Amino acid sequence: MSIPLVAVAHGSRDPRSAAQIAELVDVVRALRPGLDARVSFLDLSAPSLGDVLGGLNGPVVVVPLLLGRAYHAKVDVPALIHEAHQRNPRLSVTVSDVLGPDPRLESAALRRLTSAGVDFGDPSLGVILGGAGSSDARANASVNTIARRWCRQTGWAGAVAAFAAAVKPDVPQAVAQLRARGATRIAVASWFLAPGLLPDRVYAAARELDPSAIIADPLGADPDVAELILQRYDESLREDWARTG
């Protein structure tokens, strides 16, 4: 029997979010038949991480479906796991690293852009990489780094990160930067795993400024993202075996 993998996403009041996460974990199961892979959430969606861990005994690997190492990874996940340990001392939980940053996430985001109709050689196009925004400067910096890399590697007028909350630039500021660089058309790439309030905020702000803006879907149930989840799971098992073996 394999050690269960419990994927934990942020959660959202938008039912599309939980459905998309469930589809992603379905891809994980398809890539590794027989693996006990379960879905859980930190908040707002069911089942909660605590409820899922409450139904397990023995070793478990928790994989945070988070694109950066910020508050949720540093505080929320450890706190919920501590509570689960308090309720069930026989539970042994290993927590993997978060998903991002990783080149496979970038590849998935770029595939979503091309699926939406973006041409990599279009000099009239300015691309916004829309992210949630965090109080953790390093998490925001990783999104900015990706946008700068896209600037160097594509034929676009520019690529700029924009955030839904907590930090600047926001979408209007990003659009202004892109237009100053000569962009006459706007596209939005998604640095979100699933639909929800924050992605919709970014998309709505872009459409308000450019009604014809190209909007790419969130990363979603992408095989590269599923492979990354399995890699984080495997890495945690190897590290755990190295410590105990």
Side-chain angles (χ1 to χ4, degrees):
M1 293 285 292
S2 62
I3 292 174
L5 183 163
V6 177
V8 57
H10 181 275
S12 171
R13 291 184 178 87
D14 187 332
R16 296 175 300 162
S17 178
Q20 186 87 98
I21 296 300
E23 290 176 13
L24 173 59
V25 177
D26 282 343
V27 178
V28 170
R29 296 189 191 102
L31 290 173
R32 189 165 300 180
L35 175 63
D36 182 2
R38 308 190 186 197
V39 176
S40 69
F41 299 93
L42 295 174
D43 195 15
L44 302 174
S45 300
S48 70
L49 176 59
D51 287 344
V52 172
L53 292 177
L56 294 167
N57 284 307
V60 179
V61 175
V62 170
V63 180
L65 304 189
L66 303 170
L67 302 184
R69 178 163 286 281
Y71 185 87
H72 296 306
K74 294 176 180 177
V75 178
D76 289 340
V77 172
L80 290 170
I81 290 172
H82 176 73
E83 291 175 8
H85 272 301
Q86 295 292 104
R87 292 192 299 269
N88 181 8
R90 293 184 300 170
L91 188 66
S92 172
V93 180
T94 301
V95 183
S96 82
D97 198 0
V98 298
L99 299 184
D102 187 275
R104 279 164 292 191
L105 297 176
E106 285 189 58
S107 295
L110 290 170
R111 274 197 299 277
R112 294 290 186 244
L113 268 180
T114 56
S115 295
V118 165
D119 179 353
F120 286 110
D122 185 349
S124 71
L125 190 67
V127 174
I128 293 169
L129 179 58
S134 171
S135 58
D136 189 307
R138 288 172 295 182
N140 302 321
S142 68
V143 186
N144 284 309
T145 296
I146 294 164
R148 286 194 295 269
R149 182 157 50 242
W150 290 2
C151 274
R152 297 191 301 269
Q153 295 177 348
T154 67
W156 300 327
V160 177
F163 300 99
V167 68
K168 301 294 183 179
D170 57 16
V171 170
Q173 291 169 326
V175 169
Q177 290 180 40
L178 292 169
R179 286 177 172 164
R181 297 178 191 180
T184 57
R185 300 168 57 239
I186 299 297
V188 179
S190 186
W191 201 244
F192 297 99
L193 201 57
L197 173 66
L198 295 183
D200 283 353
R201 184 181 299 171
V202 170
Y203 305 155
R207 287 194 177 104
E208 184 174 347
L209 294 164
D210 181 357
S212 63
I214 299 170
I215 307 294
D217 290 335
L219 304 181
D222 185 274
D224 271 358
V225 180
E227 287 278 10
L228 181 55
I229 292 169
L230 287 169
Q231 179 179 320
R232 294 291 186 256
Y233 169 81
D234 291 338
E235 288 169 346
S236 291
L237 289 179
R238 285 195 296 269
E239 291 168 6
D240 199 36
W241 289 333
R243 285 194 301 269
T244 61

